[in-house]
Amino acid sequence: PIYSSQGGTQVQHLNSGISGTIASLSIAVPTERVSSSGWQSSRSFLFVDEDNIRSWNVHAVHQAGNYVSQWLKRRALPWSPRFRLHGGWANVNAPGTANEKHAHDGYVAVCSLCNSSLSALVQCRSGNDGRRPIAHAHEEVTVSGVYYIDAPASTPIRFHDPRPCSAYSQLFHFFQVGADAVLPPSTSQFIFFPSFVPHEVVEHRGNRSRISLSVNYIVDLCGSPLELDF
């Protein structure tokens, strides 16, 4: 159920501009999430009214559409996916930082940019040490993804089988390779996955920060062409 694809030159040229926006924001605003020992923006980052981010959203939803369309085709379903952007944020992991095992819940927040209601991401509840998230899954979101603006050292992302005790079964593993699936990403790569799947990023061993964007979509199945709502 994991989809991986290179963004290509059309999206690669956006990396520098988005990276600059993230760099400025990370200096001005402290991290807003507790599931990472690195820096993470607010959950409304992908709603920012900038050309680079708007263009990235268009590329991202088409990649997500390819992912969902593959599964609809396998099941011979005639529907087309309609995507609603539920929220998205930027991640900066300096060497030595990590993103602990988590999934993403959904809630409605107010955009700090325009004061309108928008769908965003709920902050993980902290554990005993104030940094470890309690395991949880998406309530409303259907598809989640990550895009790597800069992925030095290919520090992997690890996906965990969401079913309890699945590691004890040799017949019914959620992933074909076993209970976990480990992907070493590269710069300008998209990875999409079902929103309920727990995942983590191991300690970053690169010599510079790993920068990425995370995104969540609500997917409605309908008879109309591929669409994206903000």
Side-chain angles (χ1 to χ4, degrees), residues 13-14 25 29 42 48 53 59 62 75 82 85 97 99 113 118-119 132 146-147 175 184 226:
H13 79 278
L14 302 174
L25 191 62
V29 181
S42 73
V48 172
I53 295 176
H59 289 290
H62 281 285
R75 299 182 62 184
R82 182 176 181 270
L85 180 61
T97 63
N99 290 24
L113 301 174
L118 54 84
S119 295
R132 296 183 180 277
V146 59
Y147 172 76
F175 301 109
L226 178 66

Side-chain angles (χ1 to χ4, degrees), residues 68-81 221-222:
V68 174
S69 295
Q70 284 185 8
W71 285 97
L72 292 174
K73 185 176 180 180
R74 287 188 184 186
R75 299 182 62 184
L77 297 174
W79 304 318
S80 297
L221 299 178
C222 56

